[in-house]
């Protein structure tokens, strides 16, 4: 077993140096389904305390060894491995953050606006991160738009248009 109440699907191994989503089934809905696989390790978020604060974990599939990367009162989720496996991008309280797979060097990349930034996805060469960002329209309806930035958080650029009269959500960035 990977962790209490968590089991992983048995996918074909990914090509070396690639990252892809992995389906995770969880009992009692305390583990987020958004996960990322990199060379036999899976990153995921879980509310292990029952307080509604989700922390990041990495599990080695072959051994079942689970490492907790974060332990705080933030809500963290949507992990995505960098193509070289050196970083995990994730959303922390509505901002995109990076962390090393050993839990060190966690830092935020800055927010786009007053909304929430989430669902990061790395470019194949690891130089950029695409993500969703919600913002309020004039009618106070949140709208999700796709943005991209350099992996250091600079040069944020909106990719999907905002149409004032008929706002449409743009979700699920993927390279």
């Amino acid at each position: 077993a990977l962790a209490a109440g968590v089991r992983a699907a048995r996918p074909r191994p990914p090509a070396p140096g690639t990252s892809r989503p992995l389906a995770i089934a969880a009992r009692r809905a305390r583990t987020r389904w958004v996960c990322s696989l990199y060379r036999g390790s899976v990153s995921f978020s879980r509310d292990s305390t029952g307080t509604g604060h989700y922390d990041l974990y990495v599990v080695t599939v072959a051994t079942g060894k689970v490492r907790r990367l974060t332990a705080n009162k933030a809500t963290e989720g949507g992990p995505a491995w960098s193509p070289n496996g050196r970083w995990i991008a994730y959303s922390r309280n509505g901002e995109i953050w990076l962390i090393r797979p050993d839990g060190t060097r966690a830092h935020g990349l800055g927010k786009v606006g007053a909304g929430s930034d989430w669902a990061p996805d790395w470019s194949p060469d690891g130089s950029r991160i695409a993500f969703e960002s919600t913002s309020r329209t004039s009618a106070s309806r949140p709208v999700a738009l796709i943005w991209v930035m350099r992996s250091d958080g600079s040069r944020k650029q909106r990719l999907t248009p905002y149409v004032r009269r008929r706002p449409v959500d743009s979700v699920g960035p993927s390279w």
Side-chain angles (χ1 to χ4, degrees), residues 114-161:
S116 293
D117 301 344
W118 50 292
D121 191 49
W122 291 85
S123 64
D125 67 0
S127 66
R128 295 179 293 165
I129 300 172
F131 60 98
E132 294 178 37
S133 183
T134 57
S135 61
R136 298 262 178 208
T137 66
S138 59
S140 294
R141 178 192 177 277
V143 175
L145 300 173
I146 305 297
W147 288 71
V148 68
M149 65 181 158
R150 288 187 177 173
S151 59
D152 65 1
S154 66
R155 298 213 177 167
K156 292 176 179 70
Q157 176 184 4
R158 189 178 73 208
L159 298 181
T160 53

Side-chain angles (χ1 to χ4, degrees), residues 48-69:
S48 59
T49 61
T51 60
H53 301 291
Y54 285 75
D55 292 311
L56 291 183
Y57 294 81
V58 170
V59 61
T60 304
V61 175
T63 65
K65 182 181 176 187
V66 177
R67 290 184 321 273
R68 186 176 188 171
L69 303 184

